[in-house]
């Protein structure tokens, strides 16, 4: 067992896991995360899919952060079959995106300055306001960890800590938003062209998840071929695929020949196909820009499979 630990002859506990800047940031994440979902669960309240998402995001981030701190403090992460640096960098970026989304969604749907009617009353409003503040602080702490652990120019570090690696997490997250809009009555099955766009989103999402998975599990260096070159080639192909979707989707959804340029007047709020199509179009362009930035940054890094 000693050969798998970080420091076989050293102390079993790693105080730096809680006293270093990154460790202190993670302790703040635990404190803010616990406070946020406790306020919501106690009196703030939540309902519907939006509230469930926020609570799930906060609980997921809290649980994973607690495991990261525990494993680093006890040095047990050396026993895991993971590339620990890649795992923590990927999780920090994912937690940043989740906490940012929850910090926007919860105040947008649940927080009001006016007191709701009884039995909730002003107490529920105060709890929701406090939860919104701590949700914003939680996002700040996760973003701080990303900044602290991000690779610097000339620094040898894990791939997921580089800009290219962090963008992989963002690309997958944006793709999930696109999928959510697609299944919400976007009517993408009307044309073969829009079905092609769905295929583009799916292929790029799967390949991006595979790249992240190979990096996190430390299997990238055991494939027998240059993983970094494969990633660059894939990113280039993804740019071309997303470029085609960025052209095709708006034409077949908003051109008068195939769709509607403006929102129909009789379209119900919250269940209008045009709204879903607009969300897909916007985030298609967003993800296209992320893939272009990824391709540009990938030319400036060199892959080190052992990290």
């Amino acid at each position: 067992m000693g050969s798998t630990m970080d420091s076989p002859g050293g102390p079993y506990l790693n105080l730096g896991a809680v006293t270093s800047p990154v460790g202190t940031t993670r302790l703040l994440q635990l404190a803010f995360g616990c406070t946020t979902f406790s306020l919501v669960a106690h009196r703030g309240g939540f309902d519907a899919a939006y509230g469930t998402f926020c609570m799930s995001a906060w609980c997921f981030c809290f649980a994973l952060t607690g495991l990261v701190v525990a494993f680093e403090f006890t040095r047990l992460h050396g026993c895991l079959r993971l590339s620990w640096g890649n795992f923590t960098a990927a999780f920090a970026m994912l937690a940043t995106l989740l906490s940012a989304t929850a910090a926007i969604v919860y105040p947008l749907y649940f927080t009001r300055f006016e007191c709701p009617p009884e039995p909730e009353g002003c107490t529920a409003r105060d709890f929701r306001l406090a939860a919104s503040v701590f949700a914003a602080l939680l996002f700040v702490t996760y973003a701080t960890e990303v900044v602290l652990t991000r690779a610097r120019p000339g620094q040898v570090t894990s791939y997921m800590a580089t800009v290219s690696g962090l963008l992989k997490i963002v690309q997958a997250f944006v793709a999930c938003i696109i999928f959510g809009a697609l299944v919400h009555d976007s009517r993408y099955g009307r044309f073969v062209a829009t079905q092609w766009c769905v295929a583009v989103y799916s292929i790029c999402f799967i390949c991006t998840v595979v790249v992240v998975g190979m990096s996190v599990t430390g299997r990238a260096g055991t494939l027998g071929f240059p993983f970094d070159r494969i990633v660059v080639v894939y990113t280039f192909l993804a740019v071309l695929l997303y470029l085609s979707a960025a052209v095709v989707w708006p034409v077949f959804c908003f051109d008068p020949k195939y769709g509607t340029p403006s929102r129909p007047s009789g379209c119900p709020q919250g269940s209008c196909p045009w709204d879903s199509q607009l969300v897909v179009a916007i985030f298609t362009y967003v993800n296209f820009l992320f893939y272009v930035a990824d391709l540009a940054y990938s030319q400036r890094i060199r892959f080190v499979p052992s990290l």
Side-chain angles (χ1 to χ4, degrees):
M1 180 181 295
S3 60
T4 61
M5 304 297 284
D6 280 349
S7 302
Y12 289 107
L13 299 181
N14 177 22
L15 294 179
V18 293
T19 58
S20 66
V22 174
T24 303
T25 301
R26 288 171 179 164
L27 292 179
L28 290 175
Q29 293 165 5
L30 291 174
F32 293 152
C34 183
T35 303
T36 301
F37 65 70
S38 296
L39 289 170
V40 173
H42 181 55
R43 291 295 298 272
F46 67 96
D47 55 21
Y50 301 110
T52 303
F53 166 79
C54 292
M55 281 294 287
S56 300
W58 292 325
C59 293
F60 170 78
C61 293
F62 176 81
L64 263 292
T65 301
L67 287 176
V68 168
V69 172
F71 274 104
E72 288 209 348
F73 184 66
T74 58
R75 301 182 187 271
L76 288 177
H77 62 85
C79 299
L80 302 177
R81 295 182 179 273
L82 292 175
S83 174
W84 188 251
N86 281 314
F87 172 75
T88 54
F91 167 66
M93 188 70 245
L94 177 60
T96 299
L97 296 172
L98 288 173
S99 59
T101 305
I104 295 173
V105 169
Y106 188 81
L108 186 64
Y109 285 93
F110 298 99
T111 303
R112 298 290 184 273
F113 288 106
E114 301 82 11
C115 294
E118 297 295 338
E120 294 179 331
C122 293
T123 302
R125 180 205 61 180
D126 296 340
F127 271 79
R128 291 171 182 174
L129 287 172
S132 300
V133 172
F134 279 100
L137 293 174
L138 181 64
F139 158 68
V140 171
T141 56
Y142 278 114
T144 301
E145 180 180 351
V146 171
V147 172
L148 290 174
T149 58
R150 184 177 64 86
R152 302 297 188 270
Q155 179 184 6
V156 178
T157 187
S158 305
Y159 169 72
M160 295 307 302
T162 66
V163 173
S164 182
L166 295 174
L167 283 173
K168 293 290 190 299
I169 304 297
V170 179
Q171 292 158 8
F173 188 82
V174 172
C176 290
I177 298 176
I178 293 176
F179 292 142
L182 285 172
V183 300
H184 191 64
D185 195 23
S186 64
R187 298 180 181 178
Y188 64 85
R190 292 186 303 163
F191 305 106
V192 175
T194 50
Q195 294 176 21
W196 159 256
C197 294
V198 176
V200 168
Y201 305 140
S202 302
I203 292 171
C204 293
F205 173 76
I206 293 173
C207 292
T208 299
V209 171
V210 169
V211 171
V212 174
M214 295 295 291
S215 300
V216 169
T217 57
R219 298 292 186 270
T222 63
L223 298 178
F225 52 81
F227 184 71
D228 53 339
R229 293 193 179 186
I230 296 298
V231 171
V232 172
V233 171
Y234 152 65
T235 306
F236 175 69
L237 293 177
V239 169
L240 297 181
L241 289 173
Y242 257 90
L243 178 60
S244 69
V247 174
V248 170
W249 183 269
V251 169
F252 281 84
C253 289
F254 307 119
D255 188 275
K257 183 178 179 180
Y258 304 102
T260 307
S262 58
R263 192 178 191 278
S265 57
C267 210
Q269 188 73 26
S271 59
C272 181
W274 192 89
D275 293 341
S276 298
Q277 293 167 2
L278 179 63
V279 171
V280 172
I282 292 174
F283 282 98
T284 296
Y285 285 106
V286 170
N287 229 11
F288 169 69
L289 294 177
F290 282 138
Y291 275 106
V292 171
D294 187 2
L295 182 63
Y297 275 104
S298 63
Q299 308 302 309
R300 304 168 55 183
I301 63 175
R302 292 295 179 267
F303 182 73
V304 181
S306 61
L307 292 177

